[in-house]
Amino acid sequence: MTEGPVKDSNTSYSNVVLSGILTVIIAFFGLFFPFVSDFFWAAPIAVLTARDGLKPGILAVVFSFAALAFFVSPYWAAVSAVQFGSIGLLLGYFLSKKSSFKRILLFTAVLSLVLTCLFSFWPLVQDNGLAGLTADLSRNTGRIMNMWQDMGLLESLEQQGVSAEEVKESFQTAVNWFIRLLPAILVFSALGTAFFNFLAARWGLKRMGCSLSEFPPYTRWWLPWYLSWGIIIGLGLALLGDYVSIRTIFTAGVNLVLMHMPAALVIGFSVCAFLVGKIQSRVIKIVLLIAGVFYLPLTIIIMLLVGVFDPLFDFRKIHFKSV
């Protein structure tokens, strides 16, 4: 980081308290929007650690834990503090060393994935396994059905030709798919947590005038070529599992595809932004934007295909180069 004026102890403690308060606010927000909160709650700790060092970062984590334990519960506070604290401290440490964005993302993603499995997946497996989770979700769908019955929604659906049994089957199908796709959901959550916290921390440090390692603009983001084969292999496994009627192979293939799809979609829009940026006419750009929004489902499919094959065909001629 850039050398700045020496901070006195009062300023340092003020930064600790401010970072702790921001972390607590984001954590409280996570009670209502958990997946959104996870993507940003480590950023204040990361910014503080990058600017002032590990000791202030650890103090901010302890402060956040104490506040959450007092207002919510000690157990939830401890689990949350371990998650946002470890990710924030690791992010801040690497950012302070001006490490490359690839190194930062790799280590942060691995840590986030380990924590997600430790606090999300492992308890599910231990607590009566996935069968127990399926039973719990099925009971919840039963409660939703009863609530809809009391509100008269089921009667309205029956008048439209949809029976209560069909609604129940739809809920059960959703539960079954959720269980099947749980590995992909956990992986996406972990990688998203690492990536968006990294972006938020970089943004905060840039606003403060800190010097950081190079990071490519959005139009030049790219992925290694072998990630395209991850989707191709996943699709092949899904088709094979469906053909031979082996559920395990089919589920593994679908999960493998879904793990790669968010990244492919992001890269697809990156390629699109790059190519549109080459167009000189503002009118054409506006027409393309309106058409893309109007035909949004088709746009998403095209962006996915572009994102899948860009690592192989290098549409922008930037792969395997220093960006």
Side-chain angles (χ1 to χ4, degrees), residues 126-304:
Q126 292 297 303
D127 188 17
N128 297 323
L130 295 179
L133 176 61
T134 304
D136 290 339
L137 293 175
S138 297
R139 283 193 292 269
N140 289 333
T141 59
R143 297 189 188 100
I144 295 175
M145 290 283 293
N146 293 333
M147 182 179 66
W148 283 19
Q149 181 69 46
D150 296 337
M151 296 173 61
L153 294 178
L154 291 182
E155 295 180 2
S156 300
L157 291 174
E158 289 177 353
Q159 293 175 359
Q160 299 175 16
V162 180
S163 65
E165 188 63 30
E166 290 175 333
V167 175
K168 185 177 180 179
E169 290 178 0
S170 298
F171 275 127
Q172 190 58 48
T173 300
V175 168
N176 293 336
W177 273 108
F178 175 80
I179 298 299
R180 289 184 184 182
L181 302 179
L182 187 58
I185 294 172
L186 293 178
V187 170
F188 171 70
S189 175
L191 298 181
T193 296
F195 183 68
F196 286 107
N197 275 290
F198 166 74
L199 291 182
R202 275 190 60 92
W203 177 83
L205 290 169
K206 291 287 285 187
R207 290 291 299 268
M208 295 176 183
C210 298
S211 175
L212 298 168
S213 59
E214 290 296 325
F215 184 66
Y218 177 62
T219 55
R220 295 184 67 82
W221 288 6
W222 60 276
L223 293 173
W225 62 269
Y226 46 80
L227 290 184
S228 291
W229 285 105
I231 298 182
I232 295 172
I233 293 173
L235 183 60
L237 289 175
L239 294 174
L240 175 63
D242 182 62
Y243 180 75
V244 299
S245 300
I246 299 179
R247 178 178 173 181
T248 303
I249 298 178
F250 174 78
T251 302
V254 172
N255 275 276
L256 192 57
V257 170
L258 290 181
M259 287 177 191
H260 291 82
M261 283 183 63
L265 186 62
V266 170
I267 296 302
F269 277 107
S270 174
V271 174
C272 178
F274 178 87
L275 297 178
V276 171
K278 298 292 186 180
I279 300 175
Q280 300 297 324
S281 173
R282 175 177 290 185
V283 175
I284 295 178
K285 291 181 180 179
I286 294 175
V287 170
L288 290 175
L289 177 62
I290 294 175
V293 174
F294 188 78
Y295 296 102
L296 188 59
L298 179 61
T299 300
I300 292 176
I301 293 174
I302 294 175
M303 294 300 101
L304 281 172

Side-chain angles (χ1 to χ4, degrees), residues 6 39 64 95 114 118 123 149 158 173 290 310 323:
V6 178
F39 290 162
S64 303
L95 287 169
V114 170
L118 180 63
Q149 181 69 46
E158 289 177 353
T173 300
I290 294 175
D310 179 65
V323 293

Side-chain angles (χ1 to χ4, degrees), residues 116-128:
T116 300
C117 293
L118 180 63
F119 292 113
S120 299
F121 186 73
W122 185 250
L124 294 176
V125 174
Q126 292 297 303
D127 188 17
N128 297 323

Side-chain angles (χ1 to χ4, degrees), residues 68-108:
L68 292 173
F70 178 79
F71 288 109
V72 186
S73 73
Y75 174 77
W76 184 79
V79 172
S80 299
V82 170
Q83 290 181 294
F84 67 68
S86 55
I87 293 174
L89 293 173
L90 184 68
L91 260 178
Y93 173 78
F94 279 119
L95 287 169
S96 68
K97 299 298 182 181
K98 295 184 180 181
S99 300
S100 67
F101 71 92
K102 297 177 184 178
R103 180 183 176 88
I104 297 174
L105 288 176
L106 174 62
F107 281 90
T108 309

